[in-house]
Short mmCIF file of all heavy atoms in Angstrom, two decimals:
data_model
loop_
_atom_site.label_atom_id
_atom_site.label_comp_id
_atom_site.label_asym_id
_atom_site.label_seq_id
_atom_site.Cartn_x
_atom_site.Cartn_y
_atom_site.Cartn_z
N ARG Q 109 95.66 90.71 89.25
CA ARG Q 109 95.98 91.26 87.91
C ARG Q 109 97.30 90.67 87.44
O ARG Q 109 97.43 90.29 86.27
CB ARG Q 109 96.03 92.78 87.95
CG ARG Q 109 95.57 93.41 86.70
CD ARG Q 109 95.39 94.89 86.77
NE ARG Q 109 96.41 95.58 87.51
CZ ARG Q 109 96.17 96.62 88.29
NH1 ARG Q 109 94.98 97.06 88.45
NH2 ARG Q 109 97.15 97.20 88.92
N LEU Q 110 98.29 90.54 88.31
CA LEU Q 110 99.59 90.00 87.94
C LEU Q 110 99.49 88.51 87.62
O LEU Q 110 100.15 88.03 86.69
CB LEU Q 110 100.61 90.25 89.02
CG LEU Q 110 101.04 91.68 89.19
CD1 LEU Q 110 101.96 91.83 90.42
CD2 LEU Q 110 101.77 92.22 87.96
N THR Q 111 98.69 87.77 88.36
CA THR Q 111 98.59 86.33 88.13
C THR Q 111 97.78 86.02 86.88
O THR Q 111 97.91 84.94 86.35
CB THR Q 111 97.97 85.61 89.35
OG1 THR Q 111 96.65 86.16 89.60
CG2 THR Q 111 98.85 85.69 90.56
N GLN Q 112 97.01 87.00 86.39
CA GLN Q 112 96.25 86.78 85.17
C GLN Q 112 97.03 87.19 83.93
O GLN Q 112 96.59 87.02 82.84
CB GLN Q 112 94.93 87.53 85.23
CG GLN Q 112 93.97 86.98 86.25
CD GLN Q 112 92.74 87.84 86.43
OE1 GLN Q 112 92.63 88.90 85.91
NE2 GLN Q 112 91.77 87.31 87.22
N SER Q 113 98.23 87.77 84.11
CA SER Q 113 99.04 88.21 83.01
C SER Q 113 99.52 87.00 82.22
O SER Q 113 99.81 85.94 82.80
CB SER Q 113 100.25 89.02 83.48
OG SER Q 113 99.81 90.18 84.12
N SER Q 114 99.64 87.18 80.92
CA SER Q 114 100.19 86.08 80.11
C SER Q 114 101.69 86.11 80.16
O SER Q 114 102.29 87.12 80.49
CB SER Q 114 99.70 86.25 78.64
OG SER Q 114 100.27 87.40 78.09
N PRO Q 115 102.35 84.98 79.85
CA PRO Q 115 103.83 84.95 79.90
C PRO Q 115 104.48 85.97 79.00
O PRO Q 115 105.57 86.45 79.31
CB PRO Q 115 104.16 83.53 79.42
CG PRO Q 115 102.94 82.73 79.67
CD PRO Q 115 101.76 83.68 79.54
N GLN Q 116 103.81 86.40 77.94
CA GLN Q 116 104.39 87.39 77.05
C GLN Q 116 104.42 88.78 77.70
O GLN Q 116 105.20 89.61 77.33
CB GLN Q 116 103.56 87.51 75.74
CG GLN Q 116 103.61 86.30 74.86
CD GLN Q 116 102.58 85.25 75.27
OE1 GLN Q 116 101.70 85.48 76.08
NE2 GLN Q 116 102.74 84.02 74.76
N ASP Q 117 103.56 88.98 78.70
CA ASP Q 117 103.53 90.27 79.39
C ASP Q 117 104.71 90.43 80.34
O ASP Q 117 105.03 91.51 80.73
CB ASP Q 117 102.22 90.39 80.22
CG ASP Q 117 101.00 90.44 79.33
OD1 ASP Q 117 101.13 90.75 78.14
OD2 ASP Q 117 99.92 90.14 79.85
N ILE Q 118 105.33 89.31 80.72
CA ILE Q 118 106.46 89.36 81.65
C ILE Q 118 107.74 89.14 80.89
O ILE Q 118 107.95 88.12 80.26
CB ILE Q 118 106.30 88.26 82.74
CG1 ILE Q 118 104.95 88.42 83.46
CG2 ILE Q 118 107.48 88.29 83.71
CD1 ILE Q 118 104.60 87.29 84.36
N ARG Q 119 108.55 90.12 80.87
CA ARG Q 119 109.82 90.05 80.14
C ARG Q 119 110.92 89.45 80.98
O ARG Q 119 111.16 89.86 82.07
CB ARG Q 119 110.24 91.44 79.63
CG ARG Q 119 109.22 92.00 78.69
CD ARG Q 119 109.67 93.34 78.20
NE ARG Q 119 108.60 93.92 77.43
CZ ARG Q 119 108.77 94.25 76.15
NH1 ARG Q 119 109.91 94.14 75.55
NH2 ARG Q 119 107.76 94.76 75.49
N GLN Q 120 111.56 88.45 80.46
CA GLN Q 120 112.67 87.82 81.10
C GLN Q 120 113.95 88.54 80.74
O GLN Q 120 114.16 88.89 79.58
CB GLN Q 120 112.77 86.34 80.69
CG GLN Q 120 111.56 85.51 81.07
CD GLN Q 120 111.43 85.35 82.58
OE1 GLN Q 120 112.43 85.29 83.29
NE2 GLN Q 120 110.21 85.33 83.06
N PRO Q 121 114.80 88.79 81.71
CA PRO Q 121 116.08 89.43 81.36
C PRO Q 121 116.93 88.52 80.52
O PRO Q 121 116.92 87.32 80.69
CB PRO Q 121 116.72 89.72 82.71
CG PRO Q 121 116.09 88.72 83.66
CD PRO Q 121 114.69 88.46 83.12
N THR Q 122 117.61 89.09 79.54
CA THR Q 122 118.48 88.27 78.72
C THR Q 122 119.92 88.44 79.22
O THR Q 122 120.37 89.57 79.50
CB THR Q 122 118.42 88.71 77.24
OG1 THR Q 122 118.70 90.11 77.18
CG2 THR Q 122 117.02 88.47 76.66
N LEU Q 123 120.57 87.35 79.38
CA LEU Q 123 121.94 87.34 79.88
C LEU Q 123 122.90 87.08 78.70
O LEU Q 123 122.57 86.30 77.81
CB LEU Q 123 122.16 86.28 80.94
CG LEU Q 123 121.26 86.44 82.19
CD1 LEU Q 123 121.45 85.22 83.08
CD2 LEU Q 123 121.58 87.70 82.93
N PRO Q 124 124.07 87.70 78.70
CA PRO Q 124 125.02 87.44 77.62
C PRO Q 124 125.50 86.00 77.71
O PRO Q 124 125.69 85.46 78.75
CB PRO Q 124 126.14 88.44 77.86
CG PRO Q 124 126.00 88.82 79.29
CD PRO Q 124 124.56 88.67 79.66
N VAL Q 125 125.65 85.39 76.55
CA VAL Q 125 126.17 84.02 76.45
C VAL Q 125 127.68 84.10 76.45
O VAL Q 125 128.29 84.86 75.68
CB VAL Q 125 125.65 83.33 75.14
CG1 VAL Q 125 126.21 81.95 75.03
CG2 VAL Q 125 124.12 83.31 75.17
N PRO Q 126 128.35 83.31 77.33
CA PRO Q 126 129.83 83.35 77.35
C PRO Q 126 130.38 82.96 75.98
O PRO Q 126 129.92 82.05 75.34
CB PRO Q 126 130.19 82.28 78.41
CG PRO Q 126 128.98 82.05 79.21
CD PRO Q 126 127.80 82.40 78.36
N GLY Q 127 131.38 83.70 75.57
CA GLY Q 127 132.05 83.47 74.30
C GLY Q 127 131.51 84.30 73.18
O GLY Q 127 131.96 84.24 72.06
#
Side-chain angles (χ1 to χ4, degrees):
R109 214 170 40 218
L110 290 173
T111 58
Q112 292 173 354
S113 298
S114 66
Q116 294 85 10
D117 296 338
I118 303 170
R119 297 181 186 239
Q120 297 293 327
T122 55
L123 299 175
V125 177

